[in-house]
Amino acid sequence: MSAVTATAEAAEETVRPENRAWKKLKANRSARFGLILVAFFIGIALAAPILPIDDPIATSWSDVRKAPSAAHWLGTDEIGRDILSRMIWGAQASLLAGVVSVVIAVLVGVPFGLVSGYFGGWTDQAISRVTDALLATPFLILAIALAAFLGPSLTNAMIAIGLSAVPIFVRLTRGQVLAVKTEDFVEGARAVGLTHVAIMGRYILPNVLAPILVQATLTVATAIIAEASLSFLGLGQQAPAPSWGSMLNVAKNFMTQAPWMAWWPGAAIFLVVLGFNLLGDGLRDALDPRET
């Protein structure tokens, strides 16, 4: 009977941190609001193919720059395309760029950070110096340079943004590994003869995932802004495919005649970035073991 009780208590201790983090996240009003915003934009992006909306690339010369109305809820653009449908389909490009870019950055940056922090020595020096050099270049400038080198397309823009964000995750992971690798459980794993790969994978990586998750959420917001900037410059999503950044590029020429062309994509970028930032801040508080 005591063995069963001990097992139940151990299981409770295992799930308790997750339950506590989830309760703290739900109790955070700003984090809940951010989660609602993110879920809303993800929902409309996924539902775009089945929503009863106009073709986002269909033109109508009789509806050029029409103000919002019952026929076109958000108005039309310079060649009569429905802005609402372009906004919804453009959400796919922006969210895909944000998520894929961060996945690239994590998959490349975290292993380098693990190796740098765990082994130290000349390996750490080499990786850290390259990371410092890349961090000395502004993120957006580096993304623009890489996108211009790779060529204008949404895929190349995602690669450029992801590679530009790699140094952020290298630096973050390295710092977390330096703090964890001196813990007793890591020393114990070394003492029983586990390989370096096993120690990094089983004992170090799980203990540094929380700050990486928080940084990834915040970096998605940065990547969405970067994708909009690249599309605005003509280096991202190419016409006639919709993108919030390219919509703003066109709208700048009609600010007095059709200001609604800039209102909606600008508002969408603001809201989705706000959502990811609020969610990231909430995750940071919820996953911080020092917070009660």
Side-chain angles (χ1 to χ4, degrees):
M1 185 69 177
S2 60
V4 175
T5 304
T7 303
E9 291 177 353
E12 183 181 355
E13 289 294 330
T14 300
V15 300
R16 187 176 298 168
E18 297 180 3
N19 292 339
R20 182 171 62 246
W22 175 240
K23 289 179 181 178
K24 289 165 63 177
L25 185 64
K26 290 192 297 182
N28 189 324
R29 293 184 179 180
S30 61
R32 290 204 310 267
F33 180 65
L35 182 59
I36 291 171
L37 285 176
V38 170
F40 170 76
F41 281 101
I42 291 176
I44 63 171
L46 294 176
I50 62 174
L51 290 176
I53 55 178
D54 296 333
D55 186 339
I57 63 174
T59 61
S60 175
W61 298 110
S62 61
D63 290 325
V64 172
R65 297 199 303 272
K66 294 292 185 181
S69 64
H72 301 283
W73 290 1
L74 302 185
T76 60
D77 64 10
E78 82 286 3
I79 53 176
R81 295 174 297 193
D82 184 71
I83 292 179
L84 175 61
S85 63
R86 291 183 65 77
M87 287 284 300
I88 292 174
W89 282 96
Q92 287 189 344
S94 294
L95 292 174
L96 183 65
V99 173
V100 172
S101 300
V102 171
V103 169
I104 293 173
V106 170
L107 291 180
V108 177
V110 170
F112 276 107
L114 277 172
V115 171
S116 176
Y118 181 80
F119 290 105
W122 67 266
T123 303
D124 183 30
Q125 289 295 320
I127 295 175
S128 295
R129 296 298 75 78
V130 173
T131 301
D132 291 340
L134 292 174
L135 287 173
T137 305
F139 169 78
L140 188 56
I141 299 299
L142 183 58
I144 291 173
L146 289 173
F149 173 76
L150 295 172
S153 73
L154 181 60
T155 300
N156 289 341
M158 291 188 290
I159 295 173
I161 296 169
L163 294 178
S164 300
V166 164
I168 299 172
F169 288 94
V170 174
R171 175 61 61 82
L172 173 64
T173 306
R174 174 185 177 274
Q176 295 297 318
V177 171
L178 288 175
V180 171
K181 74 175 186 178
T182 58
E183 296 290 340
D184 292 339
F185 61 87
V186 177
E187 295 295 337
R190 290 197 188 98
V192 298
L194 290 182
T195 64
H196 295 312
V197 174
I199 293 173
M200 287 190 289
R202 296 181 190 176
Y203 297 97
I204 294 181
L205 182 59
N207 285 281
V208 303
L209 281 180
I212 292 173
L213 176 61
V214 173
Q215 184 61 53
T217 305
L218 296 173
T219 306
V220 169
T222 305
I224 290 173
I225 295 176
E227 185 279 330
S229 301
L230 292 178
S231 295
F232 184 87
L233 296 173
L235 296 172
Q237 182 81 290
Q238 297 298 294
S243 167
W244 294 341
S246 59
M247 292 174 69
L248 284 174
N249 183 33
V250 173
K252 75 180 189 302
N253 301 316
F254 304 97
M255 291 300 296
T256 56
Q257 303 97 324
W260 57 86
M261 290 174 58
W263 292 346
W264 310 120
I269 294 171
F270 169 77
L271 289 174
V272 73
V273 169
L274 175 65
F276 276 106
N277 281 330
L278 292 177
L279 180 59
D281 287 339
L283 283 173
R284 180 179 57 197
D285 295 337
L287 297 174
D288 189 348
R290 296 170 297 181
E291 295 287 340
T292 58

